[in-house]
Amino acid sequence: MELVQFGCIKRVTLPEDWLADPALNTALMTMRSYHPRAHDDVEITFFRKLQGLRAEEIEKFRTFLDLPMHKIAEGSSELLELTPVLGNAGNNQWSNRKRGAAGPNFRFTSAETIFIEDRLVLQVKGSFIEPETKKAINEYCGLFFDSGAEKNSVEEAYLQVPSHYGYFQFERYLKVFMDAVFSIEWA
């Protein structure tokens, strides 16, 4: 199965035994999600926010992507500067120090830049959590990429697996996800 012409992605190959969910298009975003036959609560999603970032936010992201491949340190100023780019994953323990219901809903575990085809992208891993109990809900791996010089938007491809499936099931689906994203051809 392939996803064709989605934002800055020309083509990406997904597992043949996965199913496509109905496309979601609103005035604010476009989303295409896929899930394996066995688990309709596991998803690989391609997401485009149709509103761009502020000029200074996209410039920081572009400057970041111009650096050589590297890991991002937990709590670093670099991570905090990328918060607007990260969407929901930006509400993490480093950017939101509140407790209780107003606390972060994402537990950041790692971030680094990697090459997909010939393009440097940001990869972020962590868990979406219930802010009050800190109990993990979904395990997450997301890739963030610049949509192009004429736009101020960042596109995202991500994997989410319910935490109750456990670490080994997440790792199994992570391999499927990475195989798919390494097949991306950029537009």
Side-chain angles (χ1 to χ4, degrees), residues 11-115:
R11 174 179 292 110
V12 59
T13 303
L14 296 150
E16 288 300 323
D17 60 338
W18 283 47
L19 303 171
D21 294 333
L24 181 58
N25 299 308
T26 71
L28 300 176
M29 53 81 100
T30 299
M31 191 164 77
R32 303 288 186 276
S33 295
Y34 303 84
H35 68 272
R37 290 183 193 280
H39 298 114
D40 62 359
D41 53 356
V42 170
E43 66 179 291
I44 290 176
T45 296
F46 297 87
F47 179 80
R48 291 178 55 217
K49 190 187 297 186
L50 299 177
Q51 293 178 314
L53 296 171
R54 293 188 325 221
E56 61 272 9
E57 294 167 344
I58 195 69
E59 280 310 311
K60 284 180 183 178
F61 185 54
R62 289 176 177 156
T63 299
F64 167 79
L65 291 177
D66 285 339
L67 299 171
M69 280 185 15
H70 67 286
K71 293 186 183 299
I72 295 145
E74 292 183 14
S76 68
S77 61
E78 187 174 42
L79 176 61
L80 295 175
E81 287 177 0
L82 291 171
T83 296
V85 172
L86 300 180
N88 293 334
N91 184 13
N92 59 58
Q93 73 270 30
W94 303 107
S95 63
N96 179 353
R97 300 293 186 150
K98 296 177 184 168
R99 298 193 180 272
N105 68 344
F106 186 76
R107 182 182 304 125
F108 172 92
T109 55
S110 69
E112 64 185 312
T113 53
I114 63 171
F115 274 102

